[in-house]
Amino acid sequence: SASPAPLEHISLSDDYLPYLKATHFAPLQVIQALLPLMRTNPARAQDAVSQSKPPKSVIVCIPAADARVGLPFAAISAMSAAATARGIEVLRREIRMAVSTGEVLSMADINVIVVDVGAVELAGAHSQEAIDQSACHDLQTWTQSERMAYGAAYDALTQESPSAVHRKPASAQAFVDSLGDVITHGYKRTVSLCGLELSLGWVLSWASGGRYAIGAGGEQ
């Protein structure tokens, strides 16, 4: 995990680089190693597509807030998430172009998916008291100038407003079920029109470009 801090406080070599290696370099290195193993011969790939067999999926889960927004004092996680998401999007386009030109049919059954993950309820999550203590410790590591410049904003961000309304995190089981549906079917949404149920799943899946949102707040 990355400690919250102003961008000017972050040591790029001591704080950001180790985090980047763990959360950006390592996953991409794993994918680089697996892709040659996922390429079957063209005949098998074409058979898999023609017989509507489930594709071989590369699934990358990224925190939604980091990848889509980038919250204050969370530059380390936001920069890494955005870089990973962009890299996977490029990979997906490369595979599609390779297949569409007819030169690399062995990758016709490889599906690349990016999942923006919202709030998910996990066992062993830190208590609010532990989070408050961690925030206090983080603030003490800042310089006096940084505390004067950013302290009030950091306190406002970390202190909960009495009128705040929180989304209920999705259960871990709901997250797993949703992920399975996305991999197998893409978006599954229907609308009612004159008593008929019309499926818009394929339209939404095409429009999403292989990027989906799962978990409370993920759609934001």
Side-chain angles (χ1 to χ4, degrees):
S1 61
S3 298
L7 181 60
E8 73 172 74
H9 174 81
I10 297 169
S11 170
L12 296 180
S13 57
D14 296 335
D15 298 330
Y16 182 50
L17 187 56
Y19 186 90
L20 189 67
K21 287 181 177 178
T23 61
H24 177 65
F25 290 2
L28 294 184
Q29 286 175 325
V30 171
I31 292 172
Q32 284 180 326
L34 289 177
L35 280 173
L37 303 177
M38 297 176 70
R39 283 198 290 267
T40 59
N41 64 58
R44 288 186 178 181
Q46 288 294 83
D47 288 344
V49 173
S50 62
Q51 296 173 18
S52 299
K53 293 182 178 180
K56 293 174 289 189
S57 297
V58 176
I59 308 145
V60 179
C61 295
I62 300 174
D66 289 333
R68 291 184 175 271
V69 182
L71 298 177
F73 309 107
I76 288 180
S77 55
M79 291 187 295
S80 175
T84 302
R86 183 54 54 88
I88 298 303
E89 289 172 358
V90 169
L91 171 64
R92 182 175 62 249
R93 293 188 180 101
E94 289 173 347
I95 291 176
R96 287 181 176 177
M97 287 188 66
V99 174
S100 65
T101 59
E103 299 296 329
V104 192
L105 296 179
S106 60
M107 291 196 292
D109 62 339
I110 295 178
N111 190 26
V112 179
I113 297 173
V114 175
V115 178
D116 293 310
V117 182
V120 178
E121 189 175 32
L122 298 176
H126 296 296
S127 66
Q128 185 60 46
E129 180 180 357
I131 293 174
D132 292 341
Q133 291 177 351
S134 175
C136 182
H137 171 74
D138 294 336
L139 197 62
Q140 291 174 353
T141 65
W142 299 3
T143 66
Q144 182 177 357
S145 176
E146 290 167 347
R147 287 197 295 270
M148 291 179 62
Y150 302 106
Y154 184 73
D155 287 340
L157 186 68
T158 55
Q159 291 179 3
E160 182 175 343
S161 170
S163 60
V165 178
H166 298 282
R167 289 177 178 267
K168 182 180 179 181
S171 68
Q173 186 61 54
F175 168 75
V176 173
D177 292 343
S178 298
L179 187 60
D181 285 341
V182 163
I183 296 168
T184 307
H185 307 290
Y187 277 120
K188 296 193 303 181
R189 297 187 186 180
T190 60
V191 294
S192 297
L193 180 64
C194 299
L196 298 176
E197 292 291 330
L198 302 178
S199 174
L200 297 179
W202 69 273
V203 177
L204 294 171
S205 296
W206 172 80
S208 72
R211 188 164 183 171
Y212 303 87
I214 297 177
E219 70 278 4
Q220 300 297 321

